[in-house]
Amino acid sequence: MPKTTNIPAAKRTVLQTPVAAAEPAEAREPRGARRKRETRARLLGAALKLMARKGMDGVAINEITEAADVGFGSFYNHFESKEAIYAALVESVFDEFTDWLDRLTTGLTDPAEVIAVSVRYTLMRAHREPLWGQFLVREGFSSRMLDRGLGKRLLRDLQRGMVAKRFPVADPFVAFLSVGGTMLTAVTAVLGFVAPEAPNAAILEELRFSGEHLPERTAATLLQTLGLKRAEAEKVAMRELPIVMSAVEAG
């Protein structure tokens, strides 16, 4: 399978957010506002590291403030509770990525391609940002998976494919569990076996498994789970990826 990173630039669909040439906002804002923003960012970063490992319920506020090197009382200048910082964290980590995927797939008319593109980009991001992937796995297996973020989006995309008769599945809930569970397991494999410096990379060689092109292989397998024939599933999973660039992604 060809590597997705070698897509010719001329064939890419690029939607880039314009970046103003004006003086950066950080240079214009008052010092107090800048410090407040930086403190909030440190709290979110510390919460991500801790909650990716132990979940929201396993982390105390004082652990977050200590990890962020912020006074305990300062926490409440930014968040009213642990649940509030968790909600902000989910928004910054997952909801923004979900919105990005929606922009990415807006022009796609094939529900199977929407699933394939979403699967591939999710695994690619987990490969690039292991902490993000670790948080996704922990929260993906929680009871919150059905009503927000990537889980809610996956459910919506599966339902659209079933309404369009693209996915001839008999049990929508089991289909959702199958696709979602396989996705999270694939992310776990990326973190443990495939990503750079993964702790168990040597096991793949011992078992003679290959982690190459895992996003495409996973997408093809999931499309077969949803009822596509193998040849068609592999063809859809290998279509050129549309690309959306924000100012952050471009930088």
Side-chain angles (χ1 to χ4, degrees):
M1 292 184 180
K3 294 184 179 180
T4 58
T5 52
N6 292 332
I7 300 170
K11 294 185 179 179
R12 293 176 177 173
T13 301
V14 179
L15 302 176
Q16 184 167 348
T17 303
V19 180
E23 184 182 4
E26 290 86 347
R28 298 194 305 270
E29 67 181 340
R31 181 181 302 176
R34 184 172 69 252
R35 287 178 176 172
K36 185 174 182 180
R37 175 175 53 78
E38 291 171 349
T39 298
R40 187 178 190 277
R42 289 206 307 272
L43 287 167
L44 284 169
L48 175 60
K49 291 179 181 178
L50 290 167
M51 292 181 179
R53 259 195 354 260
K54 305 195 294 185
M56 182 188 73
D57 296 334
V59 176
I61 291 177
N62 68 299
E63 291 181 87
I64 297 172
T65 56
E66 288 176 8
D69 194 21
V70 172
F72 183 83
S74 297
F75 177 91
Y76 294 98
N77 293 331
H78 302 273
F79 306 100
E80 63 181 17
S81 64
K82 182 174 67 173
E83 289 72 21
I85 194 173
Y86 171 81
L89 189 61
V90 168
E91 180 178 357
S92 65
V93 173
F94 297 139
D95 290 355
E96 289 180 6
F97 183 64
T98 300
D99 293 341
W100 184 81
L101 285 177
D102 279 341
R103 296 198 307 274
L104 185 78
T105 57
T106 294
L108 302 180
T109 58
D110 181 2
E113 186 171 6
V114 171
I115 294 291
V117 168
S118 301
V119 167
R120 291 165 71 185
Y121 267 117
T122 300
L123 291 177
M124 288 163 63
R125 179 160 184 181
H127 186 277
R128 188 176 70 248
E129 301 177 39
L131 188 61
W132 182 90
Q134 187 178 354
F135 190 63
L136 172 61
V137 170
R138 174 169 287 279
E139 293 308 308
F141 282 113
S142 75
S143 59
R144 294 176 283 264
M145 67 180 289
L146 282 169
D147 63 356
R148 69 178 308 149
L150 291 172
K152 184 176 181 180
R153 183 181 185 276
L154 172 61
L155 184 60
R156 180 203 69 191
D157 291 342
L158 289 176
Q159 289 172 335
R160 287 178 177 175
M162 286 181 266
V163 169
K165 312 246 182 249
R166 183 62 161 142
F167 304 144
V169 297
D171 191 325
F173 181 53
V174 172
F176 171 78
L177 294 178
S178 298
V179 174
T182 300
M183 267 294 305
L184 294 173
T185 302
V187 171
T188 302
V190 166
L191 301 177
F193 304 100
V194 180
E197 301 181 2
N200 303 304
I203 295 179
L204 286 187
E205 293 185 11
E206 294 176 7
L207 297 175
R208 297 184 180 180
F209 287 167
S210 171
E212 193 173 8
H213 308 299
L214 184 62
E216 291 76 23
R217 291 159 58 194
T218 302
T221 298
L222 289 177
L223 292 180
Q224 291 178 72
T225 299
L226 294 173
L228 275 68
K229 298 293 185 182
R230 177 180 175 182
E232 184 181 16
E234 291 178 349
K235 182 178 179 180
V236 172
M238 286 304 301
R239 287 177 183 166
E240 287 184 315
L241 285 169
I243 298 191
V244 173
M245 295 178 69
S246 66
V248 174
E249 293 280 331

